[in-house]
Every structure is written in C-alpha cells, then in structure tokens.
Amino acid sequence: HLLADGAQPDVRAAVEDAECLITAGVCFTDLISGYFTQRLDDAVRIDLQPHTAVVGGETFAGIEMRDALAVLAEIVPPRPDLPVSLATSMGDVEPDPHAPLTQKELWEAVAAALTGNDVILADQGTSYCGIAAQRLPSGAVFIGQPLWASIGYTLPAMIGAAIAAPHRRPVLLIGDGAAQLTVAELGTLIRQRIPAVIIVVNNNGYTVERAIHGPEMNYNDIAPWRWTLLPYALGGDVSTVRTHRATTQAELTGMLVDAAAHPTSLTLIEAVTGELDVPPVLEAIAAAAASANR
C-alpha cells in the first residue's frame, strides 16, 4: 500500500530510491501495489522467491529462498538507522471533543496508544490502510494480510498470535463487515481468557468496497449489530470483558486509556466513523483502481 500513488512521499522515496532494494517473497497484486503503480528499478533490486533469485534483472533458478537469505545476511553490511523520521506529523490542533470521529483521528489515536509490547493485527480494508500510514512504536509486531485480502482473517489469527506470544498485548483493528465473517471466534478468545484490545470500526458496511466499486451499491451494506453486547452473548461477563462505544476522538482516547488500565480484561471498543470516510492510503488505492478500470 505504501507504494500506491498518493501514499506518503518520504516512505515511497525510501523504498524506490534505495541504492539496493531486497524483496523476499513479494508478490505484487493490485492492492499491495496500489494497482501496479510501484516504480522499482530492477537494476538495483535483489528479488528472492521460493526457488528463484533475481539479481540486477538476471534470473538464477534452483536457489532456495532460505539459502539466499542466509547468504545475504552474511554479505550485507549493517547500516545505521535512517537519519530522518518517516512519521506523519500529528499537528498541534486540539480536536473538537464533540465532533464526530473521523478516520484520520481514529488511527492517530490508536497509534498514540500502542506500545512496543503490542502485537497488532489489522484487517484488510480501512483498518489496514489506516494504521499503515502511522508510525508504530519500536518493538511492536504488526500482522496484516494484504496479499490475498481475505477479510475476517485477523480475528482468529489473533488467537494464534496471542497463544504464541502470551507476554505481548494483542490489539485487533477490524471493520464491522470483516468482523461479521469470523466473529464466532470472539467466543474462543473469551474462553481462552485472552486479554485482547479489539477495535471494531463501525462504518456501516464495506467502506473499502464503497471507495473502489461505488458508494451507493447495496451489496456493500450489512446488518447493523449491537457490537458492545456481542461479547456477553458469546460467553463474557463483566468480570472478564469491558465494552465501549466511541463516536468522538475524546471518547476513543479515554477508552484506550481505560483498556490499558485493565490489562487482564478483554476490551472491545466500537469506533463509529462515516461510511464514506476513508484513510488517505485508501483514497490513493481507490483512485488508482478507478484509473486502471478506465
């Protein structure tokens, strides 16, 4: 997504203008590449695939990725951190505490509340595009699935991540449409007593599809659910689960603070945003899609 036309210029320049670019197992699909708007120089690129390596445009067959990575780890010298920050400026303007929550405010607030001990899972759509433009704290682990765009993947995936790394706080960012596909696993989370923080973005349906395939198409509508009641129907109680509904940034910020103050509880926050409000990265992808379709 960061290579899409209109994405963060500093991030894109850091990738596309690199003196040497190493890509391992990368498959450029429409969504990953912003509808194939990447501009990568094959002359300075080392591309590793499962059984093939391409160096400077020349293909070498019969080379296993595991072996190629091991060799690269030996010959690529360490380099210092980038001298410039690629973080987006948050600005100094205090938001109106009574104004409706926007996608911009949502992801800025979420990013500010994350810690280096978190494992963050962002579902495909506005959640992935929104958090992808934010700078995460050092040490945090990020899991997404933009390659095949299987919506709903991250909710059950969080169970595996949490069991594999019980010392980390699991944080799930998922849209209401995606969550409806796999939400039964919320019961498994509760049964396993996994103290996750779940942010369900309630934007009244498939907003990512509205941006790409038409805002008024009724196949992008979904049944409205009472998200804050759902954990209790799936086995939770007030001693193990906390639920909130945020319609402003001030409310959301307070709820994220509350989640941090109750690290042994599962917290579900329903964050309400406009159904046509999309993050800038998604705007860029939608524009590229429209251009490709024409």
Side-chain angles (χ1 to χ4, degrees), residues 115-163:
T115 74
N117 192 51
D118 292 342
V119 54
I120 304 133
L121 295 96
D123 213 272
Q124 195 59 32
T126 55
S127 297
Y128 188 93
C129 293
I131 203 65
Q134 303 296 322
R135 185 158 188 176
L136 304 183
S138 177
V141 174
F142 180 77
I143 298 174
Q145 206 257 28
L147 181 57
W148 307 120
S150 299
I151 60 173
Y153 156 83
T154 53
L155 201 162
M158 181 175 64
I159 300 173
I163 293 174

Side-chain angles (χ1 to χ4, degrees), residues 3-4 6 19 27 50 59 76 100 117 121-122 144 153 182 201 223-224 275 284 292:
L3 297 181
E19 294 180 4
C27 179
T59 300
V76 174
N117 192 51
L121 295 96
Y153 156 83
T182 54
V201 183
E275 67 178 40

Side-chain angles (χ1 to χ4, degrees), residues 183 186 190 198 200 202 224-234 236-238 241-247 255 266-272:
V183 76
L186 184 58
I190 294 169
I198 300 173
V200 177
N202 182 349
W225 285 8
R226 297 182 182 180
W227 291 100
T228 56
L229 299 181
L230 194 58
Y232 303 108
L234 294 175
D237 57 47
V238 293
V241 172
R242 304 177 68 80
T243 61
H244 308 280
R245 187 174 193 267
T247 59
M255 294 167 189
L266 184 148
T267 297
L268 184 146
I269 300 172
E270 177 188 2
V272 181

